[in-house]
């Protein structure tokens, strides 16, 4: 009888309803994460039944004996810094423009968001064609404009390739930031904007003192999601260059994949993955804590 009454409580019903989702999440997310952490201390080629325990040997190798790891680390840092600047800033400007009463506003929003729903590997294929040094779109445009001498080897020059890929990444990801900022703009109290207009504030002052403070929670979300997405950049880089030329576009997520799936050293690949996870947590958790304290101080 007591058990029946307990099952009728909101807490018990919540547990029952969440149990299937938690079981699936544990099976397909939590357990693989734990297994990768354990595997980072082992030597395994993905075929043999036995896994040899090697302790910190994998971490020592990638940190001290693997020059590609540090190239990938540097590229990941550069990519992350650019990702938390350009897509959010462009997305904010697009959101501010598309939040106005414009003709065709809804279709424009859909057009700008469309690249987000395209598979990254499809985006990579499309932009790889546009970067073709002989028949690509950008090559033809510069040639027709008489600027053929400015045409670089977009994906073959190790000094240019990473930034060429990043342009494609911005094209695909900016719509996501735009949608989040559009949602945030809907929460801005219209009465505050009207009051600022009455007081004689111009658009810049209204943006600085009314709109921007109201967008702080949205900015936090956009920056956190942009950071996480940039640190695990893989698909578009793999599809456009595969990490080349000469490892100049190698990323930590791609190097973890290469170590595991192509070199068949799952221990070292898992160690790279654990390092990447540690970096992500080291950036995201403190920023989230700082943002939360800031919001509490403001309130």
């Amino acid at each position: 009888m007591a058990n029946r009454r307990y099952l009728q409580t909101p807490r018990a019903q919540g547990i029952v309803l969440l149990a299937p989702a938690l079981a699936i999440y544990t099976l397909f997310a939590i357990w693989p994460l734990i297994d990768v952490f354990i595997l980072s201390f082992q030597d395994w080629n993905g075929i043999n039944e036995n896994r040899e325990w090697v302790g910190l040997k994998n971490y020592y190798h990638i940190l001290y004996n693997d020059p590609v790891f540090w190239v990938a680390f540097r590229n990941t840092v550069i990519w992350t810094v650019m990702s938390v600047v350009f897509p959010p800033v462009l997305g904010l400007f697009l959101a501010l423009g598309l939040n106005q009463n414009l003709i065709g506003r809804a279709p424009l929003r859909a057009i700008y968001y469309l690249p987000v729903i395209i598979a990254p590997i499809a985006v990579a294929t499309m932009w790889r064609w546009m970067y073709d040094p002989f028949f690509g779109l950008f090559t033809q445009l510069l040639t027709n404009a008489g600027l053929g001498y400015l045409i670089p080897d977009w994906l073959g020059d190790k000094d240019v390739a990473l930034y060429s890929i990043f342009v494609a990444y911005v094209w695909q990801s900016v719509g996501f930031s735009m949608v989040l900022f559009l949602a945030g703009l809907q929460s801005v109290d219209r009465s505050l904007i009207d009051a600022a207009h009455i007081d004689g504030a111009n658009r810049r002052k209204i943006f600085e003192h009314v709109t921007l403070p109201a967008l702080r929670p949205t900015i936090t979300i956009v920056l956190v999601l942009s950071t996480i997405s940039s640190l695990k950049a893989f698909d578009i880089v793999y599809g456009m260059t595969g990490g080349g030329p000469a490892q100049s576009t190698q990323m930590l997520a791609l190097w973890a994949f290469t170590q595991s799936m192509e070199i068949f050293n799952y221990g070292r690949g898992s160690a790279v993955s654990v390092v990447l996870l540690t970096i992500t947590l080291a950036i995201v958790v403190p920023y989230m804590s700082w943002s939360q304290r800031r919001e509490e101080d403001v309130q």
Side-chain angles (χ1 to χ4, degrees), residues 109-177:
R109 290 177 177 178
I111 291 172
Y112 282 117
Y113 186 74
L114 182 62
V116 178
I117 65 176
I118 301 176
I121 198 66
V123 173
T125 302
M126 179 174 62
W127 278 80
R128 189 173 58 192
W129 172 80
M130 289 194 292
Y131 280 137
D132 186 279
F134 299 103
F135 307 104
L137 174 64
F138 299 124
T139 298
Q140 295 299 320
L141 290 175
L142 289 174
T143 301
N144 294 337
L147 301 174
Y149 61 92
L150 294 177
I151 299 174
D153 189 353
W154 303 99
L155 300 178
D157 187 340
K158 64 180 183 179
D159 296 323
V160 177
L162 182 67
Y163 305 99
S164 299
I165 299 173
F166 184 75
V167 171
Y169 174 78
V170 171
W171 178 82
Q172 184 187 27
S173 61
V174 69
F176 183 72
S177 299

Side-chain angles (χ1 to χ4, degrees), residues 154-234:
W154 303 99
L155 300 178
D157 187 340
K158 64 180 183 179
D159 296 323
V160 177
L162 182 67
Y163 305 99
S164 299
I165 299 173
F166 184 75
V167 171
Y169 174 78
V170 171
W171 178 82
Q172 184 187 27
S173 61
V174 69
F176 183 72
S177 299
M178 179 200 72
V179 167
L180 293 178
F181 281 123
L182 276 173
L185 289 172
Q186 307 306 313
S187 64
V188 179
D189 192 342
R190 186 66 195 180
S191 62
L192 295 177
I193 298 177
D194 293 338
H197 276 299
I198 294 174
D199 291 339
N202 55 28
R203 289 188 175 183
R204 184 175 64 86
K205 292 294 184 181
I206 292 174
F207 176 76
E208 291 179 358
H209 300 287
V210 179
T211 305
L212 197 58
L215 287 176
R216 281 176 183 169
T218 305
I219 292 174
T220 299
I221 294 173
V222 170
L223 291 181
V224 168
L225 293 179
S226 297
T227 301
I228 295 173
S229 176
S230 62
L231 286 171
K232 63 184 183 67
F234 168 79

Side-chain angles (χ1 to χ4, degrees), residues 244-271:
Q247 307 293 350
S248 61
T249 61
Q250 189 65 252
M251 310 289 285
L252 285 178
L254 179 57
W255 188 233
F257 169 84
T258 303
Q259 286 281 345
S260 300
M261 300 297 179
E262 296 181 3
I263 303 179
F264 299 106
N265 195 321
Y266 285 81
R268 292 176 186 173
S270 298

